[in-house]
Amino acid sequence: MSPPRWPSSIYGSGREPDPRFSLANERTFLAWIRTSLALLAMAAAVDALPLQIDERAQAAIAAVLALTGLAAAGHAWRGWVRTERAMRLDLPMPGNAAGIVVVVGVALSGVLLLAASLLRA
């Protein structure tokens, strides 16, 4: 007998989907985690490097990047759960509106950096 899989709230319901689809769902989860880690690394770099911009602007850029990274990590888990549950229960696949959060966060960081750079000049 195989050991129980976690989370049992997902694996304990419905029927086992085609492994190819479950593995594709896991790859999507990992892609979101990589994006999250990259955003958090950028936040740490912006915070740590001696940039030639106002300290408040630098802190704001780092904060926006960090919050966007945390949102991406949260979406990674939520998206995996929703998709796995939909596959197991033969429900329609859920939508993915979280990509806009990452786009807005990165764009806002870019605008803040551009504005801080222009104000310094």
Side-chain angles (χ1 to χ4, degrees):
M1 184 169 151
S2 64
R5 295 178 3 190
W6 184 87
S8 60
S9 62
I10 300 300
Y11 289 121
S13 63
R15 63 176 177 76
E16 194 73 22
D18 185 327
R20 294 174 294 177
F21 300 130
S22 285
L23 293 172
N25 190 27
E26 288 180 18
R27 285 191 300 273
T28 303
F29 169 80
L30 292 172
W32 276 101
I33 292 297
R34 282 191 304 271
T35 300
S36 174
L37 288 171
L39 288 163
L40 292 171
M42 285 191 288
V46 165
D47 188 52
L49 294 174
L51 302 178
Q52 301 298 317
I53 60 174
D54 183 68
E55 286 182 20
R56 292 172 299 192
Q58 189 169 346
I61 294 166
V64 168
L65 288 168
L67 289 172
T68 304
L70 292 172
H75 170 70
W77 177 256
R78 183 173 176 262
W80 177 84
V81 166
R82 291 177 67 210
T83 302
E84 191 69 27
R85 183 173 290 130
M87 287 189 298
R88 291 177 164 278
L89 300 176
D90 289 324
L91 298 172
M93 289 292 123
N96 181 3
I100 192 69
V101 173
V102 173
V103 169
V104 169
V106 171
L108 180 60
S109 299
V111 167
L112 288 172
L113 182 59
L114 181 64
S117 297
L118 292 175
L119 289 175
R120 181 185 60 86

